[in-house]
Amino acid sequence: MKKSWKKILILISVPVSIPFLILLLIHLAPQPPIAAMERARHKLSLAGTEKADTYSKKLYTEAKVFYDSAMVNWQRENKTFLYVRNYDKVAKFAELSAKKSIEAAEN
């Protein structure tokens, strides 16, 4: 009788613990800097609508280069294993792109 309870407990605990383990693994995965990239894309678009590509070509080009660098680094990180990804460069380039876009739009 004792062995049967042990088997029943194991059979119940395994299916219950698997979803918790999956949720824990999802939670531990690094999050991509989506908000920073959206901000950079928005600021770059705003600078483009304000004709920064004509009046402040150098700053606008730098902003585009930083945005492209962020995208390339993001794609590179997405090719690595999920739990060893490091999105620091992506966030840094996105922030630089947003900063240069704002400068270009103001200029």
Side-chain angles (χ1 to χ4, degrees):
M1 191 74 167
K2 215 174 197 186
K3 280 189 174 187
S4 64
W5 281 107
K6 201 176 210 182
K7 287 181 182 180
I8 291 172
L9 185 62
I10 289 173
L11 287 173
I12 291 173
S13 65
V14 169
V16 170
S17 63
I18 289 176
F20 290 116
L21 182 63
I22 291 171
L23 289 174
L24 179 65
L25 289 175
I26 290 171
H27 180 70
L28 292 176
Q31 298 297 317
I34 295 172
M37 289 299 291
E38 286 179 357
R39 180 175 183 267
R41 182 174 47 249
H42 174 71
K43 296 298 181 186
L44 192 60
S45 175
L46 185 65
T49 58
E50 293 183 5
K51 304 291 184 202
D53 55 337
T54 304
Y55 299 113
S56 185
K57 190 171 183 85
K58 183 180 177 197
L59 287 172
Y60 185 77
T61 304
E62 287 179 13
K64 281 180 61 174
V65 167
F66 284 135
Y67 184 78
D68 290 341
S69 296
M71 290 299 290
V72 166
N73 279 291
W74 194 349
Q75 290 171 352
R76 186 179 304 136
E77 288 300 323
N78 284 341
K79 291 179 183 175
T80 62
F81 183 64
L82 178 64
Y83 296 103
V84 295
R85 293 178 184 171
N86 186 358
Y87 293 111
D88 290 341
K89 282 185 180 179
V90 177
K92 178 182 170 187
F93 283 128
E95 184 60 36
L96 286 170
S97 174
K99 180 182 169 189
K100 291 292 182 180
S101 296
I102 292 169
E103 288 178 16
E106 290 174 351
N107 195 1

